Amino acid sequence: MVLENLNLIIPISMKITIFLFFLFLSGYSQNTTKKNVDVLIIGASTSGTSAGITAARLGVSTLIVEESPWIGGMFTIQGVGACDGNHNLPSGIWNEFREALRSHYGGAAALETGWVSNTLFEPSVGNKIFNKMAAQEKNLEIIHGYYVTDIIKVGNLVKGAIFKNDKNEILEVTAKVTVDATDIGETLKMAGADYRLGMDSKNETKETNAPLNSNDIVQDLTWAAILKDYGTNADKTIAKPSNYNPANFKGSCVETVDNIKIDCDKMLTYGKLPNNKYMINWPTKGNDIYLNVIEMSREQRNAALLKAKNYTLQFVYYIQNELGYKHLGLADDEFTTQDLLAYAPYHREGRRLKGISFFTYNDVVEPYNQKNAYYKTGISVGDYPVDHHHKQNPNAPNVGFPPVPSYSIPLGSLIPEKVNGFIVSDKAISVSNLINGATRLQPVVLLTGQAAGTLAALTVKENKEVREVSIRQVQQSLLNQKAYISPLFDVKPTDLNFETIQKIVATGILKTRGESYKWANRTWFSPEATITIQEFTEGLSRFDKKNKIIRKQDLLTEKQAVKLLKKAGGKFASKTKFSKKVVTKTELAILIEKSLNPFAKEIDFSGNLK
């Protein structure tokens, strides 16, 4: 009766509007695909790829949703086929990926084609290797062509995400754990997770090289290109790009750091890849560009990023036309994009989570002298310097190249302060702007993703909240995966005592020594070194403050070590005899693990015993 009455009074125009509205709803329903998984990974970035593979390997159903047709992030999608750092830290999935590259190309030497890195490869090959790794995991599904539009959230708990493709088809995914693995922390705001953006004030971080006042400046980004040598007589010069100005690139044949004049051949071989290809990702008078697009809408961002594409095409034209390398053309066998450029821009920085742990430059340089012992909670290792790209923004404060040793990223940097069911990886983890210059590099980000996938899988299997999962359990799982939790230069996974030493270093009992060394920083354990009684008791005190420091400079013997370990709660067989010989750090690590087993004691996100 009511419907009949309404039918009498509703005008024809309104009836049409109502009909179209219900038609829209019907279309939405028909074009929506719903999925439910244990772990959802938003983005097949460098960390997203490793997180997805890792979670699947650990036995939970995992879905990666990625807009581009590839996986692998910086290494592949963004065309940065030159690895920065971790050459001497063969950890976990990074080592697995590198070994696959070496196998493909015929050995380690075959990857040393350019002078910027020891490991250079074609992005298309990296994509194939990652896909081969992913295809072996029956618990992993990858869906391409969709971008994230919203986060599904109930109260303070993230329950999944909503995606859309260019055909306006909707993908709705519910999950027990959701991982933001986007380059710029795309979903942090959607999830209601607090974050930082831009350069931090030294008043907040206490970092000497940080600017006095905070600002919203992020690092320059780059839209990478891959050039290919088509032969001496070829002319692959592209059409002159709009707004072309050769003055922007004059001086590009200058070495990045020391302003040493070099010839242009050397500039190009910076990123020379196998099979006579060249990565164009050059900072000095090259194709870096300053575009702060982080807080823009997707539509605004994509429009703004056209400037980055155009700027790279200008640099390519400059190389061909002004420098005379007409035979070097855009590679036609890498990306399937219309312009043959990479699928996505190389973002060096975006939103940075406000996490349980806030990892700063000071935590790297002086790990034993901080309020929080984050080194005890390490899950991902890196050794690259603090490398900031700000040459295209004259307003950016100069942070220089402050020296660092190798370091480990704390687990708490992946977990939001307040939001549950949510893990953050890639470059959006909870670190300061300054140290982001080191933690953003590809191998360490790949390992951060491995840790994120491990944490997500354990969260599901333990039926706990993300922040409730045992730190030591995550670390043990990573060690089982042949990954590092401490960034030791001189103890490799092939060492029979690798895991023992990794664990004891993560308790703080045996101290390491950091060294800033060129482009591959180091942390030394010194396995054959000896220590004093004072050094040992200081270590026991770092592990548990109840243990007293004895200020004796005598070298520690096995017998003295046993006596001190018994006082600390260590257990020894009653009939075991111990000698008066001075004990090495490796021998001591074995003794500590067998008697005290300190790694079994639970710690909090600050590294303190629970």
Side-chain angles (χ1 to χ4, degrees), residues 43-45 49 64-73 76-78 127 131 142-147 298 335-337 342-344:
S45 62
T49 300
I64 299 175
V65 181
E66 164 61 33
E67 183 173 2
S68 82
W70 283 12
I71 64 175
T76 56
I77 297 166
Q78 296 167 22
N127 175 59
N131 271 291
I142 303 173
I143 296 178
H144 293 277
Y146 284 82
Y147 56 90
R298 182 175 183 273
F335 313 109
T336 59
T337 52
Y343 291 107

Side-chain angles (χ1 to χ4, degrees), residues 72-235:
M74 292 180 281
F75 281 132
T76 56
I77 297 166
Q78 296 167 22
V80 188
C83 301
D84 290 315
N86 284 36
H87 182 63
N88 295 309
L89 293 174
S91 174
I93 200 167
W94 152 240
N95 188 53
E96 181 182 348
F97 175 65
R98 186 175 64 171
E99 286 301 311
L101 286 170
R102 289 174 174 177
S103 176
H104 175 86
Y105 284 108
L111 303 177
E112 296 178 0
T113 47
W115 53 268
V116 72
S117 172
N118 298 101
T119 304
L120 298 102
F121 57 92
E122 296 157 283
S124 57
V125 171
N127 175 59
K128 288 175 184 175
I129 288 172
F130 280 129
N131 271 291
K132 184 176 180 181
M133 292 165 66
Q136 294 171 356
E137 306 309 321
K138 63 179 180 6
N139 294 314
L140 177 61
E141 180 183 5
I142 303 173
I143 296 178
H144 293 277
Y146 284 82
Y147 56 90
V148 65
T149 60
D150 206 357
I151 286 291
I152 301 169
K153 193 177 177 187
V154 178
N156 204 38
L157 179 64
V158 170
K159 300 283 288 183
I162 297 173
F163 303 85
K164 191 176 182 181
N165 66 13
D166 291 337
K167 298 177 183 177
N168 286 323
E169 295 169 330
I170 307 297
L171 174 64
E172 185 178 312
V173 184
T174 54
K176 294 175 183 175
V177 180
T178 300
V179 179
D180 181 313
T182 63
D183 277 284
I184 59 173
E186 183 77 23
T187 67
L188 268 59
K189 182 182 284 189
M190 297 176 189
D194 292 335
Y195 60 89
R196 296 175 174 86
L197 180 64
M199 304 177 84
D200 309 302
S201 163
K202 69 172 60 180
N203 293 325
E204 179 190 4
T205 65
K206 312 304 179 189
E207 299 165 318
T208 304
N209 283 61
L212 181 61
N213 298 311
S214 62
N215 57 59
D216 66 353
I217 297 172
V218 297
Q219 291 196 56
D220 299 345
L221 61 85
T222 308
W223 205 299
I226 305 297
L227 300 186
K228 183 170 74 170
D229 190 341
Y230 286 90
T232 307
N233 297 321
D235 186 350

Side-chain angles (χ1 to χ4, degrees), residues 221-409:
L221 61 85
T222 308
W223 205 299
I226 305 297
L227 300 186
K228 183 170 74 170
D229 190 341
Y230 286 90
T232 307
N233 297 321
D235 186 350
K236 291 292 183 176
T237 306
I238 62 173
K240 183 191 289 187
S242 60
N243 302 315
Y244 176 67
N245 183 359
N248 290 332
F249 311 106
K250 188 176 181 180
S252 56
C253 297
V254 173
E255 211 287 325
T256 313
V257 178
D258 299 318
N259 289 329
I260 300 170
K261 286 286 184 181
I262 59 175
D263 62 38
C264 293
D265 279 346
K266 183 156 187 182
M267 182 269 285
L268 287 168
T269 56
Y270 159 87
K272 186 175 182 182
L273 311 178
N275 294 320
N276 289 317
K277 292 179 183 175
Y278 300 82
M279 176 190 72
I280 304 302
N281 170 32
W282 184 249
T284 304
K285 296 290 186 177
N287 55 329
D288 277 9
I289 187 171
Y290 181 72
L291 289 171
N292 193 338
V293 300
I294 309 303
E295 297 288 37
M296 293 181 180
S297 68
R298 182 175 183 273
E299 292 73 23
Q300 291 171 329
R301 186 185 307 140
N302 287 343
L305 286 169
L306 292 175
K307 296 177 184 176
K309 279 191 170 189
N310 177 264
Y311 204 68
T312 289
L313 290 172
Q314 287 187 51
F315 187 44
V316 169
Y317 184 78
Y318 179 85
I319 291 169
Q320 296 171 326
N321 195 62
E322 312 296 337
L323 301 184
Y325 294 91
K326 298 181 185 298
H327 60 293
L328 299 184
L330 290 164
D332 56 6
D333 53 354
E334 286 295 325
F335 313 109
T336 59
T337 52
Q338 187 173 358
D339 53 20
L340 300 180
L341 297 181
Y343 291 107
Y346 174 28
H347 288 285
R348 294 180 175 87
E349 186 183 355
R351 299 183 179 107
R352 291 173 288 109
L353 177 72
K354 286 189 177 180
I356 293 175
S357 303
F358 181 41
F359 191 56
T360 71
Y361 173 81
N362 297 338
D363 295 306
V364 172
V365 177
E366 296 187 283
Y368 297 103
N369 296 324
Q370 305 302 316
K371 179 182 176 182
N372 298 301
Y374 287 147
Y375 68 91
K376 295 182 181 180
T377 70
I379 44 80
S380 171
V381 295
D383 64 8
Y384 204 70
V386 175
D387 183 12
H388 277 247
H389 285 228
H390 289 296
K391 291 182 182 292
Q392 294 295 333
N393 185 354
N395 296 319
N398 181 16
V399 298
F401 266 75
V404 292
S406 54
Y407 57 88
S408 54
I409 291 173

